[in-house]
Amino acid sequence: MSARRCHAFRAAGTIVLAALALLGQHQAHAQQVVLTPGSNLDFGSFVVTGAGTITLLPNGARTSSGGVILLNSSPVHAASVNVRRNNSGRDRDAIITLPPNGGARLSSGASSMVLNAINSNPPSLASVPTSNGTNLSIGATLVVAPKQPAGRYTGTFNVNVTPIQN
């Protein structure tokens, strides 16, 4: 009988936020969109017995596929970002742009994993308010290799919010 070695590790992705300015059609100054990070994307701890994925939805629900076994020993949460305008002016619709499949990586030393299907709730904004702002929740799918080395995996990705002239 042979023993099978499993790897347990925790992957946490830190988000880097980029704010874009909007030049109003009839204004001489820019309306700045401010993004304030809340919680980081954290896939929690898991064991690898073969290739697979972990999907973390914006609502915090986590599932796995393939040779990935989820452990309940650590906190798991979607990323959160507060979006608001820092000056007055009329509310505007906004487009949220997240990285494409493979456009973000989590790394631990020389080892890495890609993030796919990065998504937010809401996927776009009906308006960007000035006062308390709007909270975005962000989830993704982590792609795990069959012999992924154990470690604490971290990384960054951009969240862009672009107000639309309307």
Side-chain angles (χ1 to χ4, degrees):
M1 177 187 233
S2 64
R4 183 165 201 176
R5 186 171 173 202
C6 298
H7 301 282
F9 53 90
R10 180 181 175 128
T14 304
I15 52 178
V16 171
L17 307 171
L20 301 178
L22 163 71
L23 292 174
Q25 290 177 323
H26 306 291
Q27 296 176 333
H29 64 281
Q31 287 189 17
Q32 183 69 34
V33 174
V34 178
L35 304 181
T36 305
S39 60
N40 291 329
L41 185 63
D42 193 332
F43 289 93
S45 297
F46 50 97
V47 174
V48 177
T49 62
T53 63
I54 300 173
T55 299
L56 182 57
L57 298 176
N59 68 6
R62 178 177 72 147
T63 60
S64 67
S65 70
V68 176
I69 301 167
L70 302 175
L71 301 176
N72 292 324
S73 62
S74 65
V76 173
H77 44 82
S80 66
V81 179
N82 182 271
V83 180
R84 68 175 177 81
R85 287 192 334 256
N86 71 350
N87 61 5
S88 61
R90 116 184 142 90
D91 287 354
R92 304 219 184 262
D93 293 351
I95 297 172
I96 300 165
T97 306
L98 300 166
N101 284 345
R105 290 189 166 279
L106 300 183
S107 300
S108 177
S111 301
S112 67
M113 295 179 279
V114 299
L115 292 176
N116 286 339
I118 300 173
N119 61 88
S120 67
N121 185 24
S124 64
L125 297 173
S127 67
V128 180
T130 53
S131 57
N132 294 330
T134 298
N135 288 316
L136 297 179
S137 294
I138 301 170
T141 297
L142 182 67
V143 179
V144 182
K147 294 184 180 181
Q148 190 75 48
R152 180 167 174 78
Y153 287 71
T154 61
T156 61
F157 60 85
N158 290 328
V159 173
N160 294 310
V161 176
T162 309
I164 302 169
Q165 293 289 346
N166 50 6

